[in-house]
Amino acid sequence: MTNATYDVDSYASVLPEKTVHQHSDRIFHRNEFSYDEVSTITEAHLNASTLVASVLLTSGIAATLRVHVIDTEVLRVQLTLDGYPDPVEQHSDMLVPFSGKVPALQLQSGVSAHRLTFGNRTLVLEQSPFQLRIEDAQGKPVFETENYPLAGKPLVGALGFRSRKGARSLPSPYLSWSIRNDEKFFGLGEKWNKVEKSSTRATVWASDTCGSNSNDLSYKSIPYLLSSRGWGLFLHSSFRSVWEVGSFCYVSGSCLLEDDHLDAFLFLGNNLKSLIGTYTAITGRPAMPPKWALGLWMSRCQYEKQSEAEEAMNGLRSRGIPADVIHLDPLWMQTHYYFKIGVDACDFVKNDAAFPALPALWKKWRANGFKTCLWINPYLPEGTAIYDYAAANNYLLKSTQGGLARLSHGEPVGMVDFSNPEARAWWKGKLKEVLSQGAAVLKPDYGDRVPEDALFSNGKTGLELHNLYLFWFTETCYQACQEVHGYGMVWRRAGYIGSQRYPGTWAGDTRSTWEEMLACLRGGLSAGYNGDAFWAGDIGGFTGPKPTPELYIRWAQWGLLSPLARFHGANSPREPWHFGETAVSVVKHYAQLRYRLMPYLVRCAEEACATGLPILRHMHLEYPDEPGTATIDDQYLLGPDLLIAPIFSAGALERDVYFPAGQWIDFDNPEKSYDGRRYHRVPAPLERIPLFRRAGASIPTDETLPQFIA
């Protein structure tokens, strides 16, 4: 059997004329594009709860700007060129039903501006030069489009369209806003750079990170940005978008969308928590996963045969390390396509030689307290019976160039067309079959390589549906689990708007280094601002060198104190006894602590499902009024009451920890406490992670310690 080892070189199946990396050119002042700015409002009127404004662009082309008042804290802003289809209110898989409280509206139109009062805020549309501004009850601007001049032209365009010169291409809408000195930004999905997004650039396009969390490639890019000034900007579109948050113009932010019209939500709130709440109220909140999902998941990439998986399970039980889930990656199937065609694919043909009589094995493992998580993906390998059947029944994505689509770098697989209800139902039936046979949960992997020229059954292309494909993929897996078992749960890698409804997710293929361990945490904290509440990273990292025992231990400490917890990696086994007796002792201690904290974790999970707030919390989310918390992203809160400060440097036996307001009690030494609103240097021996509880907080725990959760 092929040794199932993924390494950095194994990601090199890229067409020579292509790159895996995101486009990094700036939005404005590029000679190959022309820019057409909204310059003048010619007329504005109120139609029910919508302000409709006829506008002229600098070229003289007419367009229509609509601002729908959805709620006292929600505006929907749409800009459409005249002659293009009007934005029609229709079903969107990215949104859930939302019944806002529309306040009384009052429109005052003057020579220079139109002022729409809604609740205690006012929307102002300046006539010429154009500006869109939102003011609070005192008349203070909360959000305002930018008109910063330089050399006789706007440095960034306030609102308009960019088009490629001399080419028949769709115009792309853009929007820019002014940045104030004290303003901080968060969101844009699971990004590996600093959590506070000032002076950064991001591309929102789901991507395989190719074994490294070190750049803008991201599995879960989300077009939602939150501001500490009390606003959030959400682009309701599945097209690619580009964001410059004070990175080109240092006093302005901008976003560009590759759609032909702008459909954006502006959320208004008193704090970041309320902005997360509003976003998840409109795009969906997670359903409560089964309690055992909060336990420990054990995996390696990958168990090649039954004896390896059972050695892991028996090793955990014999050492008193509680655990609930065992993973089987692609080798549960007969053919491992990764090393055959350059990408993993799924044919559902069981590997009876390595895992004889799988349904019986799953039942046997469940009797020992281990549910099985089964890897799957939506890629069907060419030259197989399942591919031929799907192709014959029009269940696969086609190509605008003719024939069936292949992946973005030409790998010979077909992709299930989830826009076709019959294709989705057929493929879901395959999932339900293995779930009915005993698998407890599915691991939806990949899905992020749909090419731009893919043609879906609904007539749309990959340019529009590349990102949304991941939502459909996850939803299908989640529904299959729910329909068979009565609970919903997945272990997904990628996602898009709305995917947060379906717990849980992990950070993908992190490299096993100290630097990427920190980047992984930053990704989880950033994803939390966009509602991904049930998140985990691969404990030990995925690719690269085998982690040293010290790196493994430090990773395990905070990984076991994350919303979800899984050991996984491709370069070596991930069971603790492969890293020495100290590693076994540490993993046992923190795994047992996790299970004792299960009532607290359940409470945090219930809050996440009710409000959309993440379980893994950035310091600024919980303490926005304390100076400096916005830039702290090497420590975090687990729920509201536990403060965790991981070690991210080799050889470190102490670190500086910022303690927010109040008193914080050392979890291992209750006699020791720390005053808040300041830094303290705290000890961090190898066997322990700095862990503190908020004084006065009620943190429920279990007195008994189960080996698994029934």
Side-chain angles (χ1 to χ4, degrees), residues 359-402:
L361 273 182
W362 290 332
K363 293 175 184 177
K364 172 187 170 184
W365 293 347
R366 184 180 286 271
N368 194 29
F370 281 95
K371 295 84 176 172
T372 304
C373 180
L374 204 61
W375 178 98
I376 52 94
N377 83 1
Y379 303 157
L380 307 184
E382 290 182 8
T384 61
I386 192 172
Y387 178 94
D388 292 341
Y389 180 86
N393 286 275
N394 291 316
Y395 291 165
L396 299 179
L397 294 179
K398 294 181 171 61
S399 172
T400 57
Q401 309 304 312

CSV table of all heavy atoms in Angstrom, one decimal, residues 359-402:
chain,number,residue,atom,x,y,z
A,359,PRO,N,-18.7,-1.9,8.3
A,359,PRO,CA,-19.8,-1.7,9.1
A,359,PRO,C,-19.7,-2.4,10.5
A,359,PRO,O,-20.1,-1.9,11.5
A,359,PRO,CB,-21.0,-2.2,8.3
A,359,PRO,CG,-20.6,-2.0,6.9
A,359,PRO,CD,-19.1,-2.3,6.9
A,360,ALA,N,-19.2,-3.6,10.5
A,360,ALA,CA,-19.0,-4.4,11.7
A,360,ALA,C,-18.0,-3.7,12.6
A,360,ALA,O,-18.1,-3.7,13.8
A,360,ALA,CB,-18.7,-5.8,11.4
A,361,LEU,N,-16.9,-3.2,12.0
A,361,LEU,CA,-15.9,-2.5,12.7
A,361,LEU,C,-16.4,-1.3,13.4
A,361,LEU,O,-16.1,-1.0,14.5
A,361,LEU,CB,-14.7,-2.1,11.8
A,361,LEU,CG,-13.6,-3.1,11.5
A,361,LEU,CD1,-12.6,-2.5,10.6
A,361,LEU,CD2,-13.0,-3.6,12.8
A,362,TRP,N,-17.2,-0.5,12.7
A,362,TRP,CA,-17.8,0.7,13.3
A,362,TRP,C,-18.6,0.4,14.5
A,362,TRP,O,-18.6,1.1,15.5
A,362,TRP,CB,-18.6,1.5,12.2
A,362,TRP,CG,-17.8,2.1,11.1
A,362,TRP,CD1,-16.5,2.5,11.2
A,362,TRP,CD2,-18.2,2.3,9.8
A,362,TRP,NE1,-16.1,3.0,10.0
A,362,TRP,CE2,-17.1,2.9,9.1
A,362,TRP,CE3,-19.4,2.1,9.0
A,362,TRP,CZ2,-17.2,3.3,7.8
A,362,TRP,CZ3,-19.4,2.5,7.7
A,362,TRP,CH2,-18.3,3.0,7.1
A,363,LYS,N,-19.4,-0.7,14.4
A,363,LYS,CA,-20.2,-1.1,15.6
A,363,LYS,C,-19.3,-1.5,16.7
A,363,LYS,O,-19.5,-1.2,17.9
A,363,LYS,CB,-21.1,-2.2,15.2
A,363,LYS,CG,-22.2,-1.7,14.2
A,363,LYS,CD,-23.1,-2.8,13.7
A,363,LYS,CE,-24.1,-2.3,12.7
A,363,LYS,NZ,-24.9,-3.5,12.2
A,364,LYS,N,-18.2,-2.2,16.4
A,364,LYS,CA,-17.3,-2.7,17.4
A,364,LYS,C,-16.6,-1.5,18.1
A,364,LYS,O,-16.5,-1.4,19.4
A,364,LYS,CB,-16.2,-3.6,16.8
A,364,LYS,CG,-15.1,-3.9,17.7
A,364,LYS,CD,-14.0,-4.7,16.9
A,364,LYS,CE,-12.7,-4.9,17.7
A,364,LYS,NZ,-11.6,-5.5,16.9
A,365,TRP,N,-16.2,-0.5,17.3
A,365,TRP,CA,-15.5,0.7,17.9
A,365,TRP,C,-16.5,1.5,18.7
A,365,TRP,O,-16.1,2.0,19.8
A,365,TRP,CB,-14.9,1.5,16.8
A,365,TRP,CG,-13.8,0.8,16.0
A,365,TRP,CD1,-13.1,-0.3,16.4
A,365,TRP,CD2,-13.2,1.2,14.8
A,365,TRP,NE1,-12.2,-0.6,15.5
A,365,TRP,CE2,-12.2,0.3,14.5
A,365,TRP,CE3,-13.5,2.3,13.9
A,365,TRP,CZ2,-11.5,0.4,13.3
A,365,TRP,CZ3,-12.7,2.4,12.7
A,365,TRP,CH2,-11.7,1.4,12.4
A,366,ARG,N,-17.7,1.6,18.3
A,366,ARG,CA,-18.7,2.4,19.0
A,366,ARG,C,-18.9,1.7,20.4
A,366,ARG,O,-19.2,2.4,21.4
A,366,ARG,CB,-20.0,2.4,18.3
A,366,ARG,CG,-21.1,3.3,18.9
A,366,ARG,CD,-22.4,3.4,18.1
A,366,ARG,NE,-22.3,4.2,17.0
A,366,ARG,CZ,-22.5,5.5,17.0
A,366,ARG,NH1,-22.9,6.1,18.1
A,366,ARG,NH2,-22.4,6.2,15.9
A,367,ALA,N,-18.9,0.4,20.5
A,367,ALA,CA,-19.1,-0.3,21.8
A,367,ALA,C,-18.0,0.1,22.7
A,367,ALA,O,-18.2,0.0,24.0
A,367,ALA,CB,-19.1,-1.8,21.6
A,368,ASN,N,-16.8,0.5,22.2
A,368,ASN,CA,-15.7,0.9,23.1
A,368,ASN,C,-15.7,2.5,23.2
A,368,ASN,O,-14.8,3.0,23.7
A,368,ASN,CB,-14.4,0.5,22.4
A,368,ASN,CG,-13.2,0.6,23.4
A,368,ASN,OD1,-13.4,0.5,24.6
A,368,ASN,ND2,-12.0,0.9,22.9
A,369,GLY,N,-16.8,3.1,22.8
A,369,GLY,CA,-17.0,4.5,23.0
A,369,GLY,C,-16.4,5.4,21.9
A,369,GLY,O,-16.3,6.6,22.1
A,370,PHE,N,-16.0,4.8,20.8
A,370,PHE,CA,-15.5,5.6,19.7
A,370,PHE,C,-16.4,5.7,18.5
A,370,PHE,O,-16.8,4.7,17.9
A,370,PHE,CB,-14.1,5.1,19.2
A,370,PHE,CG,-13.0,5.4,20.1
A,370,PHE,CD1,-12.6,4.5,21.1
A,370,PHE,CD2,-12.3,6.6,19.9
A,370,PHE,CE1,-11.5,4.8,21.9
A,370,PHE,CE2,-11.2,6.9,20.7
A,370,PHE,CZ,-10.8,6.0,21.7
A,371,LYS,N,-17.0,6.9,18.2
A,371,LYS,CA,-17.7,7.1,17.0
A,371,LYS,C,-16.7,7.3,15.9
A,371,LYS,O,-15.6,7.8,16.1
A,371,LYS,CB,-18.6,8.4,17.1
A,371,LYS,CG,-19.7,8.3,18.1
A,371,LYS,CD,-19.2,8.7,19.5
A,371,LYS,CE,-20.4,8.7,20.5
A,371,LYS,NZ,-19.8,8.8,21.9
A,372,THR,N,-17.1,7.0,14.7
A,372,THR,CA,-16.2,7.1,13.5
A,372,THR,C,-16.6,8.3,12.7
A,372,THR,O,-17.7,8.5,12.3
A,372,THR,CB,-16.3,5.8,12.6
A,372,THR,OG1,-16.0,4.7,13.4
A,372,THR,CG2,-15.3,5.9,11.5
A,373,CYS,N,-15.6,9.2,12.4
A,373,CYS,CA,-15.7,10.3,11.4
A,373,CYS,C,-15.1,9.8,10.1
A,373,CYS,O,-13.9,9.4,10.1
A,373,CYS,CB,-15.0,11.5,11.9
A,373,CYS,SG,-15.2,12.9,10.8
A,374,LEU,N,-15.9,9.9,9.0
A,374,LEU,CA,-15.5,9.4,7.7
A,374,LEU,C,-15.2,10.5,6.8
A,374,LEU,O,-16.1,11.4,6.5
A,374,LEU,CB,-16.6,8.5,7.2
A,374,LEU,CG,-16.2,7.4,6.2
A,374,LEU,CD1,-15.2,6.4,6.8
A,374,LEU,CD2,-17.4,6.7,5.7
A,375,TRP,N,-14.0,10.5,6.2
A,375,TRP,CA,-13.6,11.5,5.2
A,375,TRP,C,-14.3,11.3,3.9
A,375,TRP,O,-14.5,10.2,3.5
A,375,TRP,CB,-12.1,11.4,5.0
A,375,TRP,CG,-11.5,12.3,3.9
A,375,TRP,CD1,-10.8,13.4,4.2
A,375,TRP,CD2,-11.5,12.1,2.5
A,375,TRP,NE1,-10.4,14.0,3.0
A,375,TRP,CE2,-10.8,13.2,1.9
A,375,TRP,CE3,-12.0,11.1,1.7
A,375,TRP,CZ2,-10.7,13.3,0.6
A,375,TRP,CZ3,-11.9,11.3,0.3
A,375,TRP,CH2,-11.2,12.3,-0.2
A,376,ILE,N,-14.8,12.4,3.3
A,376,ILE,CA,-15.4,12.4,2.0
A,376,ILE,C,-15.0,13.7,1.3
A,376,ILE,O,-14.6,14.7,1.9
A,376,ILE,CB,-16.9,12.2,2.0
A,376,ILE,CG1,-17.6,13.2,2.9
A,376,ILE,CG2,-17.2,10.8,2.4
A,376,ILE,CD1,-18.1,14.4,2.2
A,377,ASN,N,-15.1,13.7,0.0
A,377,ASN,CA,-15.1,15.0,-0.8
A,377,ASN,C,-16.0,14.8,-2.0
A,377,ASN,O,-16.4,13.7,-2.4
A,377,ASN,CB,-13.7,15.4,-1.1
A,377,ASN,CG,-13.0,14.8,-2.3
A,377,ASN,OD1,-13.6,14.0,-3.0
A,377,ASN,ND2,-11.8,15.1,-2.5
A,378,PRO,N,-16.3,15.9,-2.7
A,378,PRO,CA,-17.2,15.9,-3.8
A,378,PRO,C,-16.6,15.7,-5.2
A,378,PRO,O,-17.2,15.9,-6.2
A,378,PRO,CB,-17.9,17.3,-3.8
A,378,PRO,CG,-16.7,18.2,-3.3
A,378,PRO,CD,-15.9,17.3,-2.4
A,379,TYR,N,-15.3,15.2,-5.2
A,379,TYR,CA,-14.6,15.0,-6.5
A,379,TYR,C,-14.7,13.5,-6.8
A,379,TYR,O,-14.4,12.6,-6.0
A,379,TYR,CB,-13.1,15.3,-6.3
A,379,TYR,CG,-12.8,16.8,-5.9
A,379,TYR,CD1,-11.6,17.1,-5.3
A,379,TYR,CD2,-13.8,17.8,-6.1
A,379,TYR,CE1,-11.3,18.4,-4.9
A,379,TYR,CE2,-13.5,19.1,-5.7
A,379,TYR,CZ,-12.3,19.4,-5.1
A,379,TYR,OH,-12.0,20.7,-4.7
A,380,LEU,N,-15.2,13.2,-8.0
A,380,LEU,CA,-15.3,11.8,-8.5
A,380,LEU,C,-14.2,11.5,-9.5
A,380,LEU,O,-14.1,12.2,-10.5
A,380,LEU,CB,-16.7,11.6,-9.1
A,380,LEU,CG,-17.9,12.0,-8.3
A,380,LEU,CD1,-19.2,11.6,-9.0
A,380,LEU,CD2,-17.8,11.4,-6.9
A,381,PRO,N,-13.4,10.5,-9.3
A,381,PRO,CA,-12.2,10.3,-10.2
A,381,PRO,C,-12.7,9.7,-11.6
A,381,PRO,O,-13.5,8.8,-11.7
A,381,PRO,CB,-11.4,9.2,-9.5
A,381,PRO,CG,-12.4,8.5,-8.6
A,381,PRO,CD,-13.4,9.6,-8.2
A,382,GLU,N,-12.1,10.3,-12.6
A,382,GLU,CA,-12.3,9.8,-14.0
A,382,GLU,C,-11.9,8.4,-14.1
A,382,GLU,O,-11.0,7.9,-13.4
A,382,GLU,CB,-11.6,10.7,-15.0
A,382,GLU,CG,-12.1,12.1,-15.1
A,382,GLU,CD,-11.3,12.9,-16.2
A,382,GLU,OE1,-10.5,12.3,-16.9
A,382,GLU,OE2,-11.6,14.1,-16.3
A,383,GLY,N,-12.6,7.7,-15.0
A,383,GLY,CA,-12.3,6.3,-15.2
A,383,GLY,C,-12.8,5.3,-14.2
A,383,GLY,O,-12.4,4.1,-14.1
A,384,THR,N,-13.8,5.7,-13.4
A,384,THR,CA,-14.4,4.9,-12.4
A,384,THR,C,-15.9,4.8,-12.7
A,384,THR,O,-16.5,5.6,-13.4
A,384,THR,CB,-14.2,5.4,-11.0
A,384,THR,OG1,-14.8,6.7,-10.9
A,384,THR,CG2,-12.7,5.6,-10.6
A,385,ALA,N,-16.5,3.7,-12.1
A,385,ALA,CA,-17.9,3.5,-12.3
A,385,ALA,C,-18.8,4.7,-11.8
A,385,ALA,O,-19.8,5.1,-12.5
A,385,ALA,CB,-18.4,2.2,-11.7
A,386,ILE,N,-18.4,5.2,-10.7
A,386,ILE,CA,-19.2,6.3,-10.1
A,386,ILE,C,-19.1,7.6,-11.0
A,386,ILE,O,-20.1,8.3,-11.2
A,386,ILE,CB,-18.8,6.6,-8.6
A,386,ILE,CG1,-19.8,7.5,-8.0
A,386,ILE,CG2,-17.4,7.2,-8.6
A,386,ILE,CD1,-19.6,7.7,-6.5
A,387,TYR,N,-18.0,7.8,-11.5
A,387,TYR,CA,-17.8,9.0,-12.4
A,387,TYR,C,-18.7,8.8,-13.7
A,387,TYR,O,-19.4,9.7,-14.1
A,387,TYR,CB,-16.3,9.1,-12.8
A,387,TYR,CG,-16.1,10.2,-13.8
A,387,TYR,CD1,-15.7,11.5,-13.4
A,387,TYR,CD2,-16.1,10.0,-15.2
A,387,TYR,CE1,-15.4,12.5,-14.3
A,387,TYR,CE2,-15.9,11.0,-16.1
A,387,TYR,CZ,-15.5,12.3,-15.6
A,387,TYR,OH,-15.3,13.3,-16.5
A,388,ASP,N,-18.6,7.6,-14.3
A,388,ASP,CA,-19.3,7.3,-15.5
A,388,ASP,C,-20.8,7.4,-15.3
A,388,ASP,O,-21.6,8.0,-16.1
A,388,ASP,CB,-19.0,5.9,-16.0
A,388,ASP,CG,-17.6,5.8,-16.5
A,388,ASP,OD1,-16.9,6.9,-16.8
A,388,ASP,OD2,-17.0,4.7,-16.6
A,389,TYR,N,-21.3,6.9,-14.1
A,389,TYR,CA,-22.7,7.0,-13.8
A,389,TYR,C,-23.1,8.5,-13.7
A,389,TYR,O,-24.2,8.9,-14.2
A,389,TYR,CB,-23.0,6.2,-12.6
A,389,TYR,CG,-24.5,6.3,-12.2
A,389,TYR,CD1,-25.4,5.3,-12.7
A,389,TYR,CD2,-25.0,7.2,-11.3
A,389,TYR,CE1,-26.7,5.4,-12.4
A,389,TYR,CE2,-26.3,7.3,-10.9
A,389,TYR,CZ,-27.2,6.4,-11.5
A,389,TYR,OH,-28.5,6.4,-11.1
A,390,ALA,N,-22.4,9.2,-12.9
A,390,ALA,CA,-22.7,10.6,-12.7
A,390,ALA,C,-22.7,11.4,-14.0
A,390,ALA,O,-23.5,12.3,-14.2
A,390,ALA,CB,-21.7,11.2,-11.7
A,391,ALA,N,-21.7,11.2,-14.8
A,391,ALA,CA,-21.6,11.9,-16.1
A,391,ALA,C,-22.8,11.6,-17.0
A,391,ALA,O,-23.4,12.5,-17.6
A,391,ALA,CB,-20.3,11.5,-16.8
A,392,ALA,N,-23.2,10.3,-17.0
A,392,ALA,CA,-24.3,9.9,-17.9
A,392,ALA,C,-25.6,10.5,-17.4
A,392,ALA,O,-26.5,10.7,-18.3
A,392,ALA,CB,-24.4,8.3,-17.9
A,393,ASN,N,-25.7,10.8,-16.1
A,393,ASN,CA,-27.0,11.4,-15.6
A,393,ASN,C,-26.9,12.9,-15.4
A,393,ASN,O,-27.8,13.5,-14.8
A,393,ASN,CB,-27.3,10.7,-14.3
A,393,ASN,CG,-27.8,9.3,-14.5
A,393,ASN,OD1,-29.0,9.1,-14.7
A,393,ASN,ND2,-26.9,8.3,-14.4
A,394,ASN,N,-25.9,13.5,-16.0
A,394,ASN,CA,-25.7,15.0,-15.9
A,394,ASN,C,-25.6,15.5,-14.4
A,394,ASN,O,-26.2,16.5,-14.1
A,394,ASN,CB,-26.9,15.7,-16.6
A,394,ASN,CG,-26.8,15.6,-18.1
A,394,ASN,OD1,-25.8,15.7,-18.7
A,394,ASN,ND2,-28.0,15.2,-18.7
A,395,TYR,N,-24.9,14.7,-13.6
A,395,TYR,CA,-24.7,15.1,-12.2
A,395,TYR,C,-23.4,15.8,-12.0
A,395,TYR,O,-23.1,16.2,-10.8
A,395,TYR,CB,-24.7,13.8,-11.3
A,395,TYR,CG,-26.1,13.1,-11.2
A,395,TYR,CD1,-26.2,11.8,-10.8
A,395,TYR,CD2,-27.2,13.8,-11.6
A,395,TYR,CE1,-27.4,11.2,-10.6
A,395,TYR,CE2,-28.5,13.1,-11.5
A,395,TYR,CZ,-28.5,11.8,-11.0
A,395,TYR,OH,-29.7,11.2,-10.9
A,396,LEU,N,-22.6,16.0,-13.0
A,396,LEU,CA,-21.3,16.7,-12.8
A,396,LEU,C,-21.2,18.0,-13.5
A,396,LEU,O,-22.0,18.3,-14.4
A,396,LEU,CB,-20.2,15.8,-13.5
A,396,LEU,CG,-20.0,14.4,-12.9
A,396,LEU,CD1,-18.9,13.6,-13.6
A,396,LEU,CD2,-19.7,14.4,-11.4
A,397,LEU,N,-20.4,18.9,-12.9
A,397,LEU,CA,-20.2,20.2,-13.5
A,397,LEU,C,-19.7,20.1,-14.9
A,397,LEU,O,-18.8,19.3,-15.2
A,397,LEU,CB,-19.3,21.0,-12.6
A,397,LEU,CG,-19.7,21.4,-11.2
A,397,LEU,CD1,-18.6,22.2,-10.5
A,397,LEU,CD2,-21.0,22.2,-11.2
A,398,LYS,N,-20.2,20.9,-15.8
A,398,LYS,CA,-19.7,21.0,-17.1
A,398,LYS,C,-18.7,22.2,-17.2
A,398,LYS,O,-18.5,22.9,-16.3
A,398,LYS,CB,-20.9,21.2,-18.1
A,398,LYS,CG,-21.8,19.9,-18.2
A,398,LYS,CD,-22.9,20.1,-19.2
A,398,LYS,CE,-23.6,18.8,-19.4
A,398,LYS,NZ,-24.3,18.3,-18.1
A,399,SER,N,-18.2,22.4,-18.4
A,399,SER,CA,-17.3,23.5,-18.7
A,399,SER,C,-17.8,24.4,-19.7
A,399,SER,O,-18.5,24.0,-20.7
A,399,SER,CB,-15.9,23.0,-19.1
A,399,SER,OG,-15.1,24.1,-19.5
A,400,THR,N,-17.6,25.7,-19.6
A,400,THR,CA,-18.1,26.7,-20.6
A,400,THR,C,-17.3,26.4,-21.9
A,400,THR,O,-17.7,26.9,-22.9
A,400,THR,CB,-17.9,28.1,-20.1
A,400,THR,OG1,-16.5,28.3,-19.8
A,400,THR,CG2,-18.7,28.4,-18.9
A,401,GLN,N,-16.2,25.7,-21.8
A,401,GLN,CA,-15.4,25.4,-23.0
A,401,GLN,C,-15.8,24.2,-23.7
A,401,GLN,O,-15.3,23.8,-24.7
A,401,GLN,CB,-13.9,25.3,-22.6
A,401,GLN,CG,-13.3,26.4,-21.8
A,401,GLN,CD,-13.5,27.7,-22.4
A,401,GLN,OE1,-13.1,27.9,-23.6
A,401,GLN,NE2,-14.0,28.7,-21.7
A,402,GLY,N,-16.8,23.5,-23.1
A,402,GLY,CA,-17.4,22.3,-23.7
A,402,GLY,C,-16.9,21.1,-22.9
A,402,GLY,O,-15.9,21.0,-22.3
